[in-house]
Amino acid sequence: GENVEQHPSTLSVQEGDSAVIKCTYSDSASNYFPWYKQELGKRPQLIIDIRSNVGEKKDQRIAVTLNKTAKHFSLHITETQPEDSAVYFCAAPTGDKIIFGKGTRLHILP
Amino acid sequence: DGGITQSPKYLFRKEGQNVTLSCEQNLNHDAMYWYRQDPGQGLRLIYYSQIVNDFQKGDIAEGYSVSREKKESFPLTVTSAQKNPTAFYLCASSMVGGLIAGELFFGEGSRLTVL
């Protein structure tokens, strides 16, 4: 079946450095690519999303890039801060379902 | 105060018992979803519904059942047929579903423990 693969599963970066998380999807008809952040004990919340008619979208320190030919999209966080520590999930629609990656646990080191 | 509400937050169940998790939204969203979250497994789709009185199985529907009698409500029943029901369950809604889906709004989750 269709799936979404996310890498890495765990990522540790020094505070102030950048973090990049990558996802690949299999359904070529997918046209919407969100990223969710889940802090410990809380619900996932949307932090940024992109539709297939653009290649990049930026919102302050976070950005998402999309390569439809290669069927992958990435989350970029610059100037990381302690509050960026969380689990991040990518997702993509396939048919009438929304499928999530397995998540990346991001640790920001002091 | 608009949003999506799940209850109960914590639930304990004995083996062999069915249990129903409540999910209510007042966002006037058409689509609703149930996901199961286990450590290292991400969010796996159990059931989803695009419209009242209609729902479809997700990737791990075995041992679960749902109903969608009202637009705002999408309860999930974990039956005794579910072999490993201990997990964190998240309900979500979106304005529309499928390939024109937008942001998912999640409830705070229900943590089910089978004793």
Side-chain angles (χ1 to χ4, degrees), chain A residues 45-106:
Chain A
Q45 291 191 298
L46 181 74
I47 55 170
I48 195 166
D49 56 13
I50 192 169
R51 295 203 180 262
S52 57
N53 56 341
V54 297
E56 183 174 359
K57 183 177 178 182
K58 195 171 181 180
D59 182 3
Q60 299 183 347
R61 295 187 298 107
I62 60 172
V64 54
T65 57
L66 172 64
N67 183 327
K68 281 222 76 178
T69 303
K71 291 194 281 188
H72 66 71
F73 57 110
S74 300
L75 176 70
H76 304 254
I77 306 174
T78 59
E79 301 173 19
T80 53
Q81 300 172 3
E83 55 264 35
D84 295 329
S85 291
V87 179
Y88 293 81
F89 294 97
C90 62
T94 178
D96 54 359
K97 301 188 290 185
I98 298 175
I99 304 298
F100 283 79
K102 291 189 175 182
T104 297
R105 184 172 295 279
L106 176 63

Side-chain angles (χ1 to χ4, degrees), chain B residues 10 15 18 23 37 55 67 69 86 88 108-109:
Chain B
Y10 298 96
E15 280 192 26
N18 293 353
C23 179
Q37 186 172 22
F55 50 83
S67 63
E69 297 176 1
T86 294
F88 187 57
E108 291 191 332

